[in-house]
Amino acid sequence: MTRKRRHHYSTEGFRPWANPEQAHWMRELRKSSATQRHTPKPRKGTRRERERQAIRDQNRGDQR
């Protein structure tokens, strides 16, 4: 015969239950661009380097 497990909650009178709507919106929040991983430091470069790279990429497009 199985015994019931007793749950001990740290807050008196608090019993957690599923909240599907909140779970849905929390998943949507994780999709936000603000939650995406940062660009690794070796790939960042300075603003000037990025400008040069952009100009180089534009020039390569013209030659093709």
Side-chain angles (χ1 to χ4, degrees):
M1 205 169 174
T2 60
R3 291 171 34 187
K4 277 190 172 180
R5 291 185 181 185
R6 298 185 92 187
H7 295 282
H8 298 282
Y9 303 111
S10 59
T11 306
E12 189 64 32
F14 173 74
R15 296 191 61 155
W17 66 86
N19 187 342
E21 186 177 0
Q22 183 183 17
H24 165 74
W25 289 113
M26 291 303 285
R27 282 192 301 274
E28 290 298 316
L29 186 63
R30 286 194 298 268
K31 293 178 186 177
S32 164
S33 62
T35 63
Q36 299 305 313
R37 295 187 61 123
H38 72 286
T39 305
K41 200 168 189 175
R43 295 186 183 183
K44 278 188 177 177
T46 63
R47 289 182 182 150
R48 187 67 187 138
E49 284 177 350
R50 287 187 307 224
E51 288 173 9
R52 287 184 190 135
Q53 182 66 38
I55 292 169
R56 228 180 332 205
D57 290 344
Q58 288 175 351
N59 291 339
R60 284 183 189 157
D62 293 340
Q63 293 172 356
R64 290 181 188 174

